[in-house]
Amino acid sequence: MLDLDPADAIVAALWREATTSRASVTQLLRGYFRQVELKPRQQKRIKQLLHRVLASRARIDAALEDAAPAGIVESLEGAVRVLTSRVLDGGLSPAEAKRTLTWIDWERVANFESRLARIDDPLRRVEILGSLPRPLARRIVERFGNEADALATALTGDAPRTIRVNTLQCSVEACMASLERDGIKVRRTEMAMASLEVLGPSQLFRTWAFRHGWFELQDEASQLVAELVAPPPGGIVVDACAGAGGKTLAIAAAMTGRGTLVALDVSASRLEELRRRAKRAGVRNLRVFRIRADAWTDEVEALLARADRVLIDAPCSGIGSLRRNPDMRDRLFADEREVERLQAIQIDLCTRVASRLAPKARMIYATCTVLPDENQRVVERVLATEPTLDVVRVAEIFGSERASKFTDASGTFLETFPHRHPCDGFFAGVFRKRQVDSAADVMATEGSIGGATESADGAEGVE
Ligand SMILES: C[S@@+](CC[C@H](N)C(=O)[O-])C[C@H]1O[C@@H](n2cnc3c(N)ncnc32)[C@H](O)[C@@H]1O
């Protein structure tokens, strides 16, 4: 056994569990912190280090291949990986690491980054920097070119801790004051309306504000997607892939208790979690339906046909939120055709919803991935098969100045990236069903596939 500092020893043990059990790293940490009483500062350190060791697997392996006796890297234990990760990140000096373990050349580990930067092959560099499987690294190099290194590096870093104030229950200021009374420092962020960044270690879920449903943990880009839904007063909103309800609850707050909010998902356990959260958040206009993936009941069909807004927060590869799920790397791209499989589901969901939308109703398509195959390519295919959809530019909904912080240059789609924005990588587009009165209109419509970004029914806000 190596003589590690106590927090490092805990991480080494958790690393072994994370790589052998089926539980996610979040479940493992939650279970451990429930059993062992630790200070917020210790919890934060353990979580960050475990995430880092899991997220930097390939980087650690490559550094050790260079610095450890040949042939032993495969058999190395969590303890060695923890030490290596800390030396790579500069948290532990080579001399300190040497006191624990002598047979690794820690100076070489500490200098690994400069050798890595000299690797000419961008694919190999991105594979190591982001500890990404080769098929994913290839897609990232193709899409991001010179920015691929920065994105890959960002995917192994710490994700910001952001909350959304539940404006159904309190104002942003009241929530800030309540958190402050519990010793938690927060600050306003710059993109979403009710978003706060949590500064420093804290046990958020023990606060008075959390117990009273005053906030939810939610990435800022995820909050922006929910804001894009922009429900009309008293309208019907369907969240077609609601999961545990991150966005459903944010939409509920925007609806201010009026209208009808409908949550659909194929997963019973996620919907159960959504019901629990909705109760705490004081949401009272919610109807929840567990659905089949390939067919909707008549009741759900009827709601979709009457809906003003339908959000499709589609199942996706989740690369934009990889920092929060570092162990997902091992499952990602286990099969090279995974992205094609997901794309088929995304297109199917969008075309089925689009064909049922009432005139002037909107569909909002969103993912938490940065791959064009799951974003722009899906949009192109859906617009080609559903010619009565118009794109509503994000800049039309949020105004050009605000939208410019998180859209492409034309202001059309929401796109965030972990290396450029203080949030996860998300994509979202908004589409409006056009009123088609006659066969001539359909023909005119077909001439404008994919190009129309202005609404046929006039200015925003008059619906
Ligand atoms: C990205 S997650 C949703 C996250 C959620 N909207 C949130 O903000 O917390 C995608 C969800 O789609 C669900 N799903 C997968 N296939 C589906 C289908 N055909 N119809 C509806 N939901 C589906 C999954 O169970 C999963 O909960």
Side-chain angles (χ1 to χ4, degrees), residues 101-158:
L101 188 60
T102 54
W103 46 267
I104 287 178
D105 183 344
W106 293 111
E107 289 293 346
R108 270 191 83 71
V109 172
N111 293 326
F112 175 67
E113 296 301 315
S114 57
R115 292 198 299 286
L116 180 55
R118 290 198 298 271
I119 296 178
D120 284 335
D121 176 6
L123 185 53
R124 181 71 191 129
R125 237 182 14 251
V126 164
E127 241 181 330
I128 298 176
L129 277 171
S131 291
L132 299 170
R134 180 154 279 234
L136 175 54
R138 181 174 301 114
R139 284 172 194 259
I140 286 184
V141 170
E142 280 166 10
R143 160 69 179 84
F144 292 93
N146 290 339
E147 279 186 58
D149 284 15
L151 174 60
T153 307
L155 291 177
T156 66
D158 300 327

Side-chain angles (χ1 to χ4, degrees), residues 255-275:
M255 294 174 82
T256 62
R258 289 181 295 163
T260 305
L261 178 55
V262 179
L264 313 176
D265 204 282
V266 292
S267 161
S269 58
R270 287 184 191 151
L271 291 176
E272 202 41 53
E273 171 82 356
L274 163 59
R275 282 196 188 91

Side-chain angles (χ1 to χ4, degrees), residues 220-234:
E220 197 175 3
S222 166
Q223 297 182 43
L224 287 170
V225 170
E227 282 185 47
L228 265 186
V229 173

Side-chain angles (χ1 to χ4, degrees), residues 239-247 265-267 270 291 293 313-315 349 352:
D239 186 352
C241 302
K247 295 180 193 67
D265 204 282
V266 292
S267 161
R270 287 184 191 151
I291 53 165
D313 187 24
L349 273 166
R352 280 199 290 144

Side-chain angles (χ1 to χ4, degrees), residues 371-423:
L371 298 181
D373 282 333
E374 298 179 79
N375 297 335
Q376 288 84 350
R377 296 298 89 77
V378 170
V379 167
E380 284 159 16
R381 293 276 297 276
V382 173
L383 290 175
T385 47
E386 194 56 54
T388 57
L389 283 184
D390 288 322
V391 177
V392 182
R393 292 164 58 243
V394 170
E396 279 181 57
I397 296 170
F398 286 152
S400 306
E401 194 183 330
R402 180 171 179 221
S404 66
K405 295 180 187 156
F406 43 77
T407 54
D408 53 356
S410 69
T412 305
F413 298 123
L414 177 148
E415 274 195 288
T416 57
F417 305 97
H419 64 298
R420 287 196 214 152
H421 299 92
C423 56

